[in-house]
Amino acid sequence: DDRFQFTFLLLLLFFSFFIQRTIKDSDMITTSTITATTVLTIILLFPNAILVRALNICIAGGTGNFGRILASKLDLIADEVTILSRNKFLASSRTRVTETFGWLGELYLNQNLHVTLRDWDGGDLLDIVGSDWLGWQDDTLNKADVVINLVGGYTSQRLMATERIVRESLKVNPNALQITVSPKNTEELNILSPGGATTTKWNRVEQCENMVKLNCVRSKCFRFEANRIDQSCEEIIAAIIGDN
C-alpha cells in the first residue's frame, strides 16, 4: 500500500534525524554516514515510496450499477474520484426519487469519502438539468490522471458524451488515460439495455471506442459481462495502477 509506505518513509527519516542529533559529537559514526545508510535502506526496501503522488480519477456516467461498484473500489486507491452526473442533487439524495437519473445516495457518499459528484452537461447542451454544470472541464477534467467513460443507455447521448469528453480532454488534459467501458458483445448489450435496436446500439458502442482510440494519446477499451462486473472492475483498476 503506497500510503503505508509513505508513512513508513516519514518515520524512517524522523528516526534518522533523531540518531543524528543523539550522536552528532561521536567520532565513530558521522551523520552523513547515517543519512546515506537510511536513504539507501528506503530505496532498497520501498522503491515505490519515493514515487507516491495523488491519483485523480474522473468517471462520466458513474451513477449506475457498474459505476457504483467501480467507484467504491477506486476509493481505496485514489485521492479523488469525481463522478460527472447530469443531476448531482438527485444522485446524492438520501433516497432515490426518480429512475430517470442515476443515483448513489447520501449513505454511499458518506461511506466512500474520496468519491464526490460533479454536475456536467452530459454532452448535450440542449438537455442540461444540473444546477452547476459550468466549469467541469477546468476543475475536474483538467487534473484527472484517468478519465473513465461509463455513460450508459447506448442512445445518442453516449455518442455526444464521448465526443464531449474527448474534445475537452484534448483541450485541457490531452495526456490523461482515457478508458471506455462497454458490453462484451451484443448478447450482453441486450441484457444491459433491453428493448431492441441492438444493431444501432452496438454501432454506437464501436463508434465511441473508435473515437477514443483515434483521438486520444493514451487509451484503453474494456468489454465486460453483466454478471462479472466485480472482475471487470478489478481489471480496470489493475490497468490504472500499471499505467500510473
Side-chain angles (χ1 to χ4, degrees):
D1 186 303
D2 283 342
R3 292 173 184 168
F4 170 78
Q5 291 181 5
F6 182 70
T7 302
F8 193 72
L9 180 150
L10 292 178
L11 289 175
L12 282 176
L13 290 177
F14 177 79
F15 178 74
S16 172
F17 177 77
F18 175 79
I19 294 296
Q20 291 175 36
R21 295 282 296 181
T22 303
I23 61 174
K24 64 180 180 178
D25 296 325
S26 172
D27 295 329
M28 297 177 60
I29 304 177
T30 66
T31 56
S32 59
T33 300
I34 297 172
T35 302
T37 302
T38 303
V39 172
L40 180 60
T41 302
I42 292 171
I43 294 175
L44 291 176
L45 295 180
F46 301 96
N48 292 330
I50 59 174
L51 300 177
V52 173
R53 64 181 180 84
L55 180 62
N56 294 304
I57 298 176
C58 171
I59 305 177
T63 54
N65 187 44
F66 196 112
R68 169 183 288 270
I69 296 172
L70 178 59
S72 65
K73 292 179 181 294
L74 290 172
D75 179 70
L76 301 176
I77 67 166
D79 289 78
E80 291 185 42
V81 181
T82 305
I83 296 177
L84 299 178
S85 170
R86 290 195 301 150
N87 197 312
K88 171 184 175 180
F89 177 76
L90 293 179
S92 61
S93 62
R94 180 169 298 181
T95 58
R96 189 164 195 168
V97 295
T98 177
E99 296 293 327
T100 304
F101 300 103
W103 178 74
L104 293 177
E106 182 180 295
L107 178 61
Y108 177 91
L109 295 172
N110 289 337
Q111 292 174 337
N112 298 276
L113 299 180
H114 296 100
V115 178
T116 58
L117 289 162
R118 173 68 166 95
D119 277 326
W120 79 310
D121 52 62
D124 188 356
L125 296 177
L126 299 178
D127 187 32
I128 296 171
V129 292
S131 61
D132 187 26
W133 59 274
L134 290 172
W136 63 271
Q137 305 96 321
D138 297 321
D139 60 44
T140 299
L141 195 60
N142 185 47
K143 64 181 180 181
D145 299 294
V146 184
V147 180
I148 303 174
N149 186 356
L150 291 178
V151 176
Y154 309 102
T155 64
S156 57
Q157 178 71 35
R158 183 177 177 86
L159 278 174
M160 289 188 288
T162 302
E163 182 180 357
R164 185 85 163 127
I165 292 170
V166 170
R167 186 192 312 118
E168 297 301 328
S169 293
L170 292 176
K171 289 179 182 178
V172 302
N173 191 1
N175 292 318
L177 174 62
Q178 300 282 339
I179 294 178
T180 301
V181 183
S182 308
K184 183 176 182 179
N185 48 43
T186 53
E187 288 75 16
E188 294 296 325
L189 175 62
N190 285 329
I191 295 174
L192 295 163
S193 180
T198 302
T199 301
T200 300
K201 292 177 182 176
W202 189 251
N203 285 337
R204 290 178 182 135
V205 167
E206 294 183 328
Q207 284 179 270
C208 290
E209 290 182 341
N210 290 333
M211 197 183 306
V212 171
K213 290 178 182 178
L214 294 175
N215 293 283
C216 298
V217 178
R218 299 163 60 216
S219 67
K220 295 181 183 294
C221 295
F222 286 89
R223 298 281 182 87
F224 73 98
E225 299 177 36
N227 63 345
R228 302 183 71 182
I229 292 180
D230 272 301
Q231 179 179 334
S232 297
C233 289
E234 295 297 339
E235 292 174 358
I236 292 172
I237 291 173
I240 291 173
I241 295 175
D243 195 86
N244 287 273

